[in-house]
Amino acid sequence: MASYTISNLPAISAAKLADSFRAKTPGISIIDVRDSDYVGGHIMGCLNVPVNTHDYRMPELVRTLRNQDIVIFHCALSQQRGPASALRYLRERDRMAEKGELGIRKDGEDVQRAQRVVVLEGGFVKWQETYGMDTELTEGYAKDLWDDKW
């Protein structure tokens, strides 16, 4: 089993993620782990999987996302909840793969080796600074909730 830590967890910038959206790059899933602070906007098409649901939702999430090339986690700032959730996902994915619970291979390579798990740099706070008003990239944005909040 691989050893994952916050220090070796890769990150993706808001600009690179936005470029992927505009290019309609397939195989990307975004997991927003915010709880009540999810109100006020979110990245288009993301899945909201609040941290307080991870105990019972993480195995389901691993199974659901097993065919995705990139899984991006974020919270408000991507300093605590987002990275911790990404690590939890990686560890659960490895545990399930080791026990044969994923049961699939992709191009002859184990899914756990092919799938990249990353964190969005700066979280939704950074995202909304540039892309909050962009209705092709952000959904349910309430600008007044973000003014002077952070």
Side-chain angles (χ1 to χ4, degrees):
M1 195 179 277
S3 178
Y4 304 109
T5 66
I6 298 275
S7 63
N8 65 18
L9 196 59
I12 186 172
S13 70
K16 186 167 176 139
L17 178 56
D19 289 346
S20 294
F21 261 101
R22 290 190 176 107
K24 298 186 185 328
T25 305
I28 298 175
S29 287
I30 302 163
I31 312 304
D32 186 330
V33 301
R34 294 178 293 159
D35 301 294
S36 61
D37 53 335
Y38 182 75
V39 173
H42 53 273
I43 299 171
M44 187 70 70
C46 73
L47 294 173
N48 181 226
V49 184
V51 170
N52 65 357
T53 67
H54 288 181
D55 284 345
Y56 62 90
R57 288 193 65 192
M58 198 56 71
E60 167 199 350
L61 191 62
V62 170
R63 280 190 291 276
T64 300
L65 300 176
R66 68 184 177 204
N67 291 319
Q68 295 298 296
D69 296 321
I70 303 172
V71 180
I72 302 167
F73 284 85
H74 79 87
C75 57
L77 297 169
S78 288
Q79 292 180 350
Q80 293 181 0
R81 294 174 293 174
S85 298
L87 292 175
R88 189 167 187 171
Y89 176 89
L90 284 163
R91 291 171 182 150
E92 180 65 15
R93 185 190 67 186
D94 283 359
R95 185 198 66 76
M96 292 174 71
E98 192 173 285
K99 290 187 169 219
E101 294 178 20
L102 293 179
I104 61 170
R105 294 176 71 82
K106 180 177 177 182
D107 299 332
E109 190 175 353
D110 288 335
V111 171
Q112 70 179 33
R113 306 281 183 253
Q115 186 181 74
R116 289 186 57 225
V117 176
V118 302
V119 174
L120 177 62
E121 289 176 0
F124 190 76
V125 170
K126 187 73 170 171
W127 176 269
Q128 65 84 28
E129 288 173 0
T130 305
Y131 305 107
M133 301 293 285
D134 188 331
T135 57
E136 291 181 3
L137 300 175
T138 306
E139 194 169 34
Y141 186 66
K143 184 179 183 329
D144 57 317
L145 292 177
W146 294 96
D147 288 342
D148 301 321
K149 183 174 182 175
W150 302 92

